[in-house]
Amino acid sequence: MAPRVLPLPRQHSFCPPTVRNPFVHPGRLSAGDKLRIVLQGIILLPLRAICIAFIVLLAWLFASIATFRHPGKGSVPLKGWRRGMIQTALSCLTRTLFFVMGFQVKVKGKVANLLEAPIFVAAPHSSFFDAIITALTGMPSVVSRAENLSTPVFGTILSSLQPVAVSRQDPDSRKNTVTEITKRALSRGQWPQILIFPEGTCTNRSCLITFKQGAFVPQVPVQPVLLRYPNKLDTVTWTWQGYSLKELCAMTLCQLFTRVEVEFLPVHVPTDEEKNDPILFANRVRQTMATALNVPVTDHTFEDCRLMISAGQLTLPMEAGLVEFTKISKKLNLKWNHVREQLDTFAAIASASKGGRIGIEEFAEYLKLPISDVLRELFLLFDRNGDGTIDFREYVIGLSILCNPANTEETIRMAFKLFDMDEDGTITEDEFASIIQSALGVPELDVSMLFKEIDADDTGKLSYDEFKNFALKHPEYAKLFTTYLDLQRYQLDMLEEDDIESPEVKHSPVRKSAIPVSETTPTARNKVCPEGNEEDNSSTSDKKDD
């Protein structure tokens, strides 16, 4: 018999990202590094701490003077001597602060003025030390959480920069933030330039993740700013898994010096097409920056961080939650809450697997079915990279493009009709077992546990509503059913081809054994898949290209 060909070609756009997890930075220190940090820190740490405290208090004093009795509390731009004090005094103090901390700053390119580019977009965002850009660009406004403005000392300094405040309690915060950025960018010089880190979270600089649209909605020119930290020992990268804020600060202050390169690329003026499509505008700017940095781009976003944390709470490896949410949500029309619910189901299936991936044994155990040809084929459809396991990303894609489209009212009715062999409107356990055993080729299979799970009212019979409710909650079975029908048709086609080529062996018992269901349930097969109606088989099997 010819080999079975899978009906679903793999779409390149769903291939896994080149960078598996941009949100972790292990950062292991050798014994020599630890010894060097301790010896240098004995002298450098206390001296630098004293200097930093003095500079910060001095910056707070200038910020207090500049904002003293200023009307509007951030709704009116600072002008005249107030703005001049911020640009001159705070910019100088910030440069001094980084010099005291041991930073050697190398600047490339030319900084655009306010009329040339109202917005700076900086990437990759990997550390709180990225704030060095503010000193190099004349202390522009930044986007910050509203809670930060109430922090003692630092809140006053931050308020003097007139940031765009983001409130987590406000359900319209994202919309209001974009509106405020647009208003300032189009103010024709009344407001200072705005510095935005469009990635929205910190990464390990191995790639550029999805850019958020806020900096690109105003349709104004932007200047890309690149950050590099070419140090042998990395003490600045602050990610979701790695060193804490305090640890990184202490280790950095204990270094003799820390190199940082800031490169200002040419201003990107949006085309008419980019003005009408902020996503296109953001992607082109990101690609320009990625090319200059010589790093790949991925479709990870902050929502992946949330899923990664949830995966850790479910005792899965944290990287198991990474799905490239931007791409998955757009292509499959999925919301974060729905993907989060699927993560719970995936964790329940993969709980026995140490690597946070589903093998065919766990897949069969979850479906309460034995490993068979039909189950193997369904597993292969989920296993997109062919490594013999299903990760969470493959599971989400599989449910969306394989199982959910197959789980239609028509498919459910067809399956119920197949199981209801005596056509009395209910399915007994014997009828259920007969079809399952025949379809999977396991005559002694015990399906009592699966039957009891479907039989919600414990009557010993399955009504259509019970059958339908279970099918809607477990779309994997719908695809299993249509896969079984595909295999049955395939075997019928192969038999007909063999019969045409060798009519003298038409009644060979070997041929009959190729389709076990024809021996045991001929009526059921004819009700669902009559031999003479093979042209109408597209409705029972989802063959949508993914």
Side-chain angles (χ1 to χ4, degrees):
M1 183 179 291
R4 167 89 165 133
V5 179
L6 295 181
L8 295 173
R10 301 309 196 199
Q11 203 178 85
H12 180 70
S13 60
F14 273 129
C15 289
T18 54
V19 177
R20 180 109 183 130
N21 191 348
F23 304 112
V24 297
H25 181 66
R28 298 175 182 174
L29 295 176
S30 65
D33 292 330
K34 293 179 181 179
L35 179 61
R36 187 163 45 253
I37 288 175
V38 171
L39 294 178
Q40 293 174 172
I42 294 174
I43 300 174
L44 294 176
L45 188 59
L47 290 177
R48 285 175 171 171
I50 294 172
C51 293
I52 290 171
F54 176 75
I55 294 173
V56 169
L57 289 176
L58 199 58
W60 169 80
L61 177 62
F62 280 106
S64 299
I65 295 173
T67 57
F68 182 68
R69 289 188 177 182
H70 176 65
K73 294 183 179 181
S75 60
V76 178
L78 292 173
K79 296 181 180 180
W81 66 271
R82 298 177 186 270
R83 180 60 191 165
M85 180 177 290
I86 297 299
Q87 288 182 315
T88 305
L90 285 191
S91 180
C92 180
L93 287 174
T94 304
R95 287 172 180 261
T96 305
L97 177 66
F98 276 90
F99 174 78
V100 168
M101 289 192 294
F103 279 84
Q104 294 182 353
V105 185
K106 182 179 180 180
V107 180
K108 298 180 181 180
K110 179 184 177 183
V111 180
N113 61 40
L114 177 58
L115 297 180
E116 292 173 329
I119 297 176
F120 297 108
V121 288
H125 186 26
S126 63
S127 175
F128 42 87
F129 293 122
D130 294 345
I132 183 65
I133 298 177
T134 59
L136 304 176
T137 53
M139 307 306 291
S141 296
V142 295
V143 178
S144 175
R145 292 184 301 172
E147 300 85 45
N148 294 339
L149 299 177
S150 59
T151 305
V153 182
F154 288 100
T156 302
I157 298 174
L158 184 61
S159 297
S160 69
L161 301 181
Q162 297 196 290
V164 178
V166 180
S167 175
R168 291 184 173 181
Q169 286 74 32
D170 184 4
D172 297 324
S173 176
R174 180 173 297 182
K175 178 181 177 182
N176 294 337
T177 299
V178 174
T179 301
E180 181 66 19
I181 291 174
T182 303
K183 182 188 76 172
R184 296 190 183 193
L186 299 176
S187 66
R188 297 180 181 273
Q190 294 184 12
W191 287 90
Q193 289 168 288
I194 305 173
L195 171 62
I196 297 176
F197 294 92
E199 291 176 296
T201 189
C202 288
T203 69
N204 55 21
R205 298 191 300 278
S206 60
C207 64
L208 292 185
I209 64 173
T210 302
F211 279 11
K212 295 186 179 297
Q213 302 174 36
F216 308 96
V217 171
Q219 305 176 1
V220 297
V222 301
Q223 182 171 34
V225 184
L226 308 180
L227 284 157
R228 300 182 182 91
Y229 292 91
N231 300 290
K232 183 178 180 180
L233 180 63
D234 186 357
T235 62
V236 300
T237 302
W238 186 34
T239 57
W240 290 83
Q241 188 176 12
Y243 290 118
S244 67
L245 173 64
K246 294 180 180 178
E247 290 172 333
L248 289 174
C249 284
M251 288 191 297
T252 302
L253 294 180
C254 292
Q255 302 300 309
L256 289 176
F257 56 85
T258 302
R259 295 187 180 91
V260 56
E261 293 181 0
V262 182
E263 181 177 0
F264 294 89
L265 297 182
V267 174
H268 186 111
V269 180
T271 63
D272 291 338
E273 184 182 13
E274 292 169 350
K275 288 181 179 180
N276 295 325
D277 189 351
I279 296 178
L280 177 64
F281 189 8
N283 287 340
R284 287 183 176 174
V285 172
R286 180 176 66 150
Q287 190 57 59
T288 299
M289 299 174 74
T291 301
L293 290 165
N294 194 27
V295 298
V297 298
T298 71
D299 289 306
H300 293 105
T301 187
F302 177 68
E303 283 70 20
D304 284 286
C305 294
R306 297 171 63 191
L307 288 170
M308 186 177 73
I309 294 173
S310 298
Q313 294 170 345
L314 293 170
T315 67
L316 291 172
M318 294 188 72
E319 61 269 14
L322 300 179
V323 295
E324 284 194 300
F325 186 80
T326 300
K327 178 189 294 184
I328 297 297
S329 61
K330 181 179 179 181
K331 282 185 167 290
L332 304 180
N333 193 27
L334 295 176
K335 302 299 182 182
W336 188 88
N337 291 336
H338 183 59
V339 178
R340 178 61 182 81
E341 292 173 0
Q342 291 178 341
L343 181 61
D344 289 333
T345 304
F346 179 85
I349 304 173
S351 59
S353 175
K354 296 181 180 179
R357 303 168 74 91
I358 301 173
I360 192 167
E361 293 82 7
E362 291 85 9
F363 196 61
E365 182 180 354
Y366 168 68
L367 295 176
K368 297 180 176 63
L369 295 172
I371 298 175
S372 63
D373 290 341
V374 178
L375 191 70
R376 284 193 183 93
E377 177 142 346
L378 178 60
F379 186 85
L380 286 174
L381 292 175
F382 272 86
D383 181 16
R384 303 182 63 82
N385 60 2
D387 66 352
T389 61
I390 301 173
D391 61 23
F392 179 56
R393 189 175 186 275
E394 292 172 326
Y395 180 74
V396 171
I397 296 173
L399 285 182
S400 298
I401 66 177
L402 297 173
C403 299
N404 290 336
N407 204 27
T408 63
E409 181 80 20
E410 180 183 5
T411 302
I412 295 173
R413 286 189 180 278
M414 186 178 301
F416 187 83
K417 186 177 180 181
L418 173 67
F419 283 100
D420 184 14
M421 298 172 62
D422 57 7
E423 301 184 5
D424 64 348
T426 60
I427 302 173
T428 64
E429 185 171 345
D430 289 339
E431 290 175 323
F432 186 76
S434 176
I435 296 297
I436 294 292
Q437 291 168 355
S438 176
L440 300 180
V442 185
E444 304 301 325
L445 175 63
D446 182 8
V447 297
S448 57
M449 290 183 60
L450 180 58
F451 184 85
K452 289 178 181 178
E453 187 173 350
I454 305 176
D455 186 16
D457 56 6
D458 294 325
T459 60
K461 292 185 177 182
L462 304 181
S463 65
Y464 176 72
D465 289 337
E466 288 177 319
F467 191 82
K468 179 181 178 181
N469 289 337
F470 182 82
L472 293 176
K473 293 179 181 178
H474 301 81
E476 299 94 340
Y477 287 98
K479 187 58 187 175
L480 189 67
F481 173 67
T482 57
T483 301
Y484 157 66
L485 293 181
D486 278 344
L487 281 173
Q488 188 182 66
R489 291 193 189 89
Y490 173 72
Q491 292 169 342
L492 285 172
D493 290 342
M494 295 305 299
L495 276 180
E496 290 182 358
E497 291 178 8
D498 291 345
D499 288 346
I500 293 174
E501 294 175 2
S502 305
E504 66 278 3
V505 295
K506 181 175 182 180
H507 300 291
S508 171
V510 177
R511 299 300 182 189
K512 289 184 180 180
S513 64
I515 315 175
V517 72
S518 64
E519 289 287 337
T520 57
T521 58
T523 305
R525 180 176 63 80
N526 290 335
K527 287 193 299 180
V528 178
C529 183
E531 296 181 31
N533 190 26
E534 294 180 10
E535 70 278 2
D536 187 25
N537 59 19
S538 60
S539 63
T540 61
S541 175
D542 170 40
K543 295 194 177 184
K544 176 182 177 183
D545 289 354
D546 59 342

